[in-house]
Amino acid sequence: MKNILVTGGLGFIGSHTVVELQASGYRVIVVDDLSNSTVDVLENIEKISGIKPDFHQLDLRNKSDVQQLFATTSIDGIIHFAAFKAVGESVHKPLEYYENNIGSLVYILQEMVKHNIKNFIFSSSCTVYGQAETLPITELEKTKPALSPYGNTKQVGEEIIIDACNAHQLNAISLRYFNPIGAHDSIHIGELPLGVPQNLIPYITQTAIGLRDELSIFGNDYDTKDGTAVRDYIHVVDLAKAHIAALTRLVNKENTENYEYYNVGTGTGLSVLEIVESFERVTEQKLNYTIVERRKGDVTAAFADNTLVTSKLKWQPEKSLDDALRSAWEWQKKNT
Ligand code: UDP
């Protein structure tokens, strides 16, 4: 049985990935500093899979702790989620973002080299493309200068991994996520935003349940079908499964390059208003919303061409938008 280290394994995408790893027969070691998650998630993972993963509460900025972890743990592959992820906050605290997101990445790669661990999966983001020239977005699309320190940590992170792969014969895959939403079917795990949600779906569910007065829709003067911005919303369970496909490709030595990267999205672009309408239909809730100014840094439209990921990783999205919205709503009701 292969041992997989999952950093940030109690977070939103991390926890869903842990469950899918367990279902695929991997043994999981979770590292998390609990800065944006709670230890209850471990028990909730166990409720789903019947297996409690090994857990280390650890801050990956602490180099000696990272060294100690690798010295005492047998690891065959790593899925690295742990990172700060608030775009707006990153503008005000860039050095914390660089220290956390880049520092921890470097320490992990150093330990991989030291302990001869070859397989690494990195959570990247479609934000590396900025406003793409061509839609849907293929992997041939040029990356653009990042609009925030957070976005830059993903771009610089990918570059660091490329250099490490070339110098040290590591194998890595970056997954460039579009917009992950939803919760596990069991409703035992889901997204737990700290404070006021920045992302659309938690803001919608919190509004529908009465925690927020109304949703602000950021702009209706975009050059899109109804004027609101367009994104590619992917069910978090589908996204989690893409990690298993990527890891399995490396473990089975099926990769053709030592560094590969894939867009992970559904291929469908939906506007904010379409999401609101779908949410109202699926949940039979009326949502209060108002149109406000565009949000700084938002692009007009981003949705994936997922041809490469479906062909090379033999993965495809299985869940619908309605599944995702329904589960997000059930999760909100359970947690309010
Ligand atoms: N959005 C919105 N109101 C909100 C949060 C988000 O209108 O309260 C819009 C946002 O402008 C974007 C889309 O919803 O067009 C998705 O935003 P989110 O922050 O979830 O993800 P992003 O695409 O920015 O990573």
Side-chain angles (χ1 to χ4, degrees):
M1 193 184 257
K2 299 282 185 196
N3 297 324
I4 308 302
L5 177 70
V6 182
T7 73
L10 301 187
F12 177 41
I13 308 171
S15 58
H16 289 82
T17 302
V18 168
V19 167
E20 297 305 324
L21 281 167
Q22 291 172 323
S24 302
Y26 291 102
R27 197 174 80 82
V28 182
I29 304 119
V30 168
V31 161
D32 202 298
D33 67 356
L34 303 182
S35 63
N36 194 18
S37 58
T38 65
V39 79
D40 309 349
V41 177
L42 264 188
E43 281 155 35
N44 293 331
I45 288 171
E46 189 182 7
K47 281 183 199 154
I48 298 170
S49 65
I51 310 163
K52 196 167 191 167
D54 287 358
F55 173 58
H56 301 267
Q57 184 178 347
L58 195 146
D59 185 337
L60 295 166
R61 285 172 291 190
N62 189 327
K63 188 170 185 174
S64 58
D65 283 358
V66 177
Q67 290 172 329
Q68 170 80 4
L69 173 76
F70 277 80
T72 54
T73 314
S74 166
I75 298 169
D76 299 295
I78 298 166
I79 306 182
H80 182 46
F81 293 105
F84 292 157
K85 61 170 189 176
V87 175
E89 184 187 59
S90 77
V91 175
H92 303 291
K93 300 178 177 173
L95 300 181
E96 286 182 34
Y97 272 67
Y98 289 118
E99 180 190 33
N100 191 43
N101 295 8
I102 301 295
S104 60
L105 172 66
V106 171
Y107 295 159
I108 290 168
L109 292 169
Q110 285 174 328
E111 293 307 300
M112 287 180 67
V113 174
K114 197 190 294 175
H115 296 279
N116 199 28
I117 301 164
K118 294 294 181 195
N119 305 317
F120 187 77
I121 310 294
F122 182 59
S123 24
S124 188
S125 164
C126 68
T127 57
V128 299
Y129 299 117
Q131 179 54 65
E133 306 285 331
T134 312
L135 293 168
I137 304 172
T138 72
E139 288 79 357
L140 295 174
E141 181 73 31
K142 292 252 179 321
T143 59
K144 298 250 175 21
L147 292 172
S148 69
Y150 163 76
N152 205 27
T153 66
K154 293 299 171 188
Q155 292 198 5
V156 174
E158 287 201 30
E159 287 165 9
I160 290 170
I161 295 164
I162 292 169
D163 290 342
C165 284
N166 288 333
H168 303 292
Q169 293 77 49
L170 307 179
N171 292 304
I173 294 178
S174 288
L175 298 179
R176 293 175 174 172
Y177 312 152
F178 283 69
N179 292 53
I181 62 166
H184 195 265
D185 283 344
S186 65
I187 317 297
H188 287 312
I189 54 175
E191 187 170 11
L192 282 169
L194 274 186
V196 181
Q198 305 299 309
N199 294 114
L200 179 63
I201 303 304
Y203 208 104
I204 286 177
T205 59
Q206 289 199 6
T207 304
I209 209 134
L211 292 175
R212 315 266 158 221
D213 290 341
E214 61 183 7
L215 169 74
S216 296
I217 295 183
F218 299 137
N220 68 349
D221 57 350
Y222 286 105
D223 182 16
T224 60
K225 42 194 153 186
D226 57 26
T228 61
V230 166
R231 297 289 183 274
D232 183 335
Y233 295 90
I234 179 165
H235 198 300
V236 65
V237 170
D238 279 331
L239 179 59
K241 287 180 178 170
H243 293 79
I244 318 309
L247 180 75
T248 304
R249 180 172 170 86
L250 296 187
V251 166
N252 293 344
K253 302 190 186 342
E254 290 164 354
N255 51 314
T256 48
E257 310 286 338
N258 63 0
Y259 178 73
E260 298 179 347
Y261 51 97
Y262 298 97
N263 292 345
V264 188
T266 64
T268 302
L270 294 169
S271 73
V272 178
L273 279 175
E274 285 176 318
I275 294 292
V276 168
E277 282 157 17
S278 298
F279 179 82
E280 290 186 326
R281 174 179 48 75
V282 167
T283 62
E284 298 178 346
Q285 298 296 310
K286 186 89 197 82
L287 196 75
N288 294 328
Y289 67 84
T290 179
I291 309 288
V292 301
E293 290 292 289
R294 292 182 180 193
R295 182 170 67 177
K296 199 165 161 283
D298 273 352
V299 298
T300 301
F303 52 100
D305 178 325
N306 61 16
T307 310
L308 198 67
V309 66
T310 52
S311 63
K312 299 280 184 192
L313 296 191
K314 298 180 243 2
W315 165 93
Q316 54 186 27
E318 290 164 358
K319 292 183 171 290
S320 67
L321 176 72
D322 288 5
D323 292 335
L325 294 175
R326 201 175 296 115
S327 62
W329 178 234
E330 292 304 319
W331 173 251
Q332 181 68 61
K333 286 193 286 184
K334 185 175 173 182
N335 285 283
T336 307

